[in-house]
Amino acid sequence: MKTTFVKICTVLVTLGLVTAARAADEHDALPVDEAVAVIVPTKASKSDTAGVIMLKQKDGYVQVTGEVTGLTPGEHGFHIHMYGDLRADDGTSAGGHYNPHGKPHGGPDSKEHHVGDMGNIKANADGVAKVSAKADGNLHHMIGRSIVVHGGVDDLKSQPSGDAGPRVGIGVIGLAQPAPATAAK
């Protein structure tokens, strides 16, 4: 009888500790409405490509804004890729363009294109590109994937990825820290 009581107490204490640990580890369910990707150069590119890209959920699309530096002047392919895997020196471990619907590659304004097809960004004479693009879909499905900046121009038609050249910059898309709530006046 005493051993049964001890076993029951042990189980109850263990369940209590597990429940408390889960409560301490879980966060309130917050909507995924903002994400960030910090762009770093791929090792193989030997470039100085860097930047910060913000992704914000809008009604039916994701607004993508930010700045990329260290580029050669001109246009550079700019895409969301399938994986947030940065292990390969040349960025190829990020996989191909994010394409959950099996569409052909195209420009962001093409009738059919990959969800990750955001066209090109244009670097000025100082190698700085201001980013303002739209991505189809839901930000929630983009978390953990990557943004890739290519060394060349995406021609918006070559299959499967626009013949945009090597990957010179890459960053994993992660949850952005929510902005603090502002107090009502």
Side-chain angles (χ1 to χ4, degrees):
M1 178 85 153
K2 187 176 180 182
T3 57
T4 303
F5 177 74
V6 170
K7 287 180 184 178
I8 290 172
C9 287
T10 302
V11 168
L12 290 174
V13 168
T14 302
L15 286 174
L17 291 174
V18 169
T19 301
R22 282 188 182 152
D25 191 42
E26 293 178 7
H27 302 283
D28 291 335
L30 297 174
V32 177
D33 62 0
E34 194 167 34
V36 61
V38 177
I39 306 298
V40 297
T42 59
K43 190 181 273 187
S45 73
K46 297 186 170 120
S47 75
D48 294 323
T49 305
V52 175
I53 304 298
M54 299 301 299
L55 298 91
K56 187 155 184 73
Q57 183 67 58
K58 298 292 186 178
D59 189 21
Y61 68 95
V62 175
Q63 182 66 49
V64 182
T65 59
E67 182 177 277
V68 180
T69 62
L71 296 168
T72 57
E75 292 185 308
H76 296 266
F78 186 71
H79 311 106
I80 297 172
H81 281 245
M82 189 64 189
Y83 306 110
D85 185 344
L86 308 183
R87 291 179 288 176
D89 288 349
D90 62 357
T92 56
S93 55
H97 297 179
Y98 177 47
N99 186 18
H101 308 299
K103 303 288 185 180
H105 175 68
D109 296 325
S110 300
K111 183 178 178 182
E112 290 197 338
H113 61 277
H114 304 154
V115 170
D117 289 342
M118 293 189 289
N120 292 293
I121 56 175
K122 187 171 184 176
N124 64 20
D126 295 324
V128 177
K130 300 290 185 186
V131 176
S132 181
K134 290 181 181 179
D136 295 337
N138 188 312
L139 181 57
H140 177 78
H141 299 291
M142 297 173 189
I143 301 296
R145 301 188 190 288
S146 61
I147 290 185
V148 173
V149 180
H150 290 268
V153 178
D154 182 338
D155 66 14
L156 309 179
K157 60 185 176 189
S158 296
Q159 300 303 318
S161 60
D163 195 27
R167 301 165 188 207
V168 297
I170 189 168
V172 176
I173 300 169
L175 294 174
Q177 180 176 356
T182 55
K185 292 183 180 184

